[in-house]
Amino acid sequence: MVDQGRPTVLVVEDEASYVEALTVGLTKEGFIVEVAVDGAEALLKFEDVQPDLVLLDVMLPKMSGIDVCRLLRKRSQVPIIMVTAKGAEIDTVVGLEVGADDYVSKPYRMRELVARMRAVMRRHGTGTPVVPEVSVGAISVGGLSLDADEHRVMLDGQEVVMPLKEFELLHLLLANAGRVLTRDVLIDRVWGSDYVGDTKTLDVHVKRLRAKVEEDPANPTRITTIRGLGYKFERPKS
């Protein structure tokens, strides 16, 4: 279920090192992470959690990932991504035949995995917060204004020059002032849904924006960080 724009993923994995890395990495990407360490627990946890996506390892204690996938498909159309050992083609084929939406092979890059997860959820229409389209024309919030038609930013009457990606990021934040935008939404909307680069790119651009629009970039009052979620452009307090 979605909580404040955060999709929930059920990670079914018995290797502690992967569980730890996935919990940390996916949480930073804006997911709520629930974990099951074997197939039987996965079925019980699924009913309790009602996740937006299941990340399901093939090799599990008590019940194989293939069997778990088959049983889940009988009760739900939730997106399922199978995790297979490198080169285990037969597992991949069987997994897709019993209803998995996609698969990744170990070892995988976190960024690639997250991109696959987002893509599957978009196809299912789940787990992605709805963000209003950015408006055309001018937006003004607390002394900062942006004109999309003229590609111009003004701060207290002075023009602020910025490159395209910074402008697009500021435009999205301003258009949704007062609302938390998750990291995945910002990356998808500014860099594209197929972007698989370093997530630090977003943080670098936010830092550059703060240097241009904050009185004290080290203590921002306009573009604030919402830990574990993303960023928000604050509306002035009346």
Side-chain angles (χ1 to χ4, degrees):
M1 302 291 287
V2 178
D3 175 21
Q4 297 181 347
R6 301 178 67 192
T8 298
V9 55
L10 175 59
V11 173
V12 188
E13 172 64 68
D14 65 319
E15 292 187 46
S17 59
Y18 276 97
V19 169
E20 182 178 1
L22 286 167
T23 300
V24 173
L26 294 178
T27 299
K28 287 182 177 179
E29 291 293 335
F31 291 88
I32 296 171
V33 180
E34 298 285 345
V35 176
V37 297
D38 60 56
E41 185 184 10
L43 295 175
L44 293 173
K45 208 70 170 286
F46 181 85
E47 295 299 330
D48 291 338
V49 173
Q50 293 292 301
D52 297 290
L53 180 141
V54 178
L55 188 63
L56 179 60
D57 194 64
V58 170
M59 300 296 293
L60 293 168
K62 299 185 180 180
M63 183 185 300
S64 76
I66 299 296
D67 289 335
V68 172
C69 183
R70 184 182 290 111
L71 291 170
L72 288 180
R73 271 293 164 261
K74 290 181 178 180
R75 65 183 76 170
S76 173
Q77 290 303 307
V78 66
I80 298 174
I81 297 180
M82 303 291 293
V83 180
T84 67
K86 188 174 183 180
E89 184 175 347
I90 186 63
D91 288 340
T92 298
V93 172
V94 174
L96 294 176
E97 285 179 348
V98 298
D101 295 274
D102 200 356
Y103 69 92
V104 293
S105 298
K106 293 179 178 178
Y108 44 75
R109 292 177 58 216
M110 180 62 68
R111 188 68 196 133
E112 178 187 358
L113 174 62
V114 171
R116 294 279 193 92
M117 293 168 64
R118 291 176 185 158
V120 167
M121 288 193 296
R122 276 194 298 273
R123 290 200 298 270
H124 281 256
T126 63
T128 302
V130 176
V131 180
E133 293 294 326
V134 291
S135 59
V136 296
I139 307 170
S140 183
V141 181
L144 183 66
S145 62
L146 179 149
D147 192 313
D149 296 333
E150 297 185 4
H151 194 87
R152 176 178 294 181
V153 176
M154 304 291 289
L155 176 61
D156 297 330
Q158 299 294 317
E159 184 170 1
V160 180
V161 178
M162 58 183 62
L164 179 60
K165 289 301 182 188
E166 289 178 27
F167 183 90
E168 291 177 344
L169 180 57
L170 181 62
H171 190 189
L172 186 58
L173 288 165
L174 272 176
N176 294 278
R179 180 178 185 175
V180 179
L181 298 185
T182 61
R183 296 173 62 84
D184 61 331
V185 164
L186 291 167
I187 291 172
D188 282 356
R189 293 294 298 275
V190 177
W191 282 271
S193 60
D194 57 350
Y195 176 77
V196 293
D198 195 333
T199 57
K200 291 182 180 178
T201 296
L202 173 61
D203 302 320
V204 170
H205 280 72
V206 168
K207 184 177 181 179
R208 291 173 180 167
L209 274 180
R210 285 171 170 164
K212 295 174 180 178
V213 304
E214 298 280 2
E215 290 184 12
D216 181 2
N219 297 286
T221 58
R222 286 190 166 98
I223 303 173
T224 58
T225 300
I226 309 301
R227 290 183 63 84
L229 280 176
Y231 295 99
K232 177 172 69 169
F233 196 96
E234 301 285 353
R235 289 189 176 278
K237 296 178 181 177
S238 56

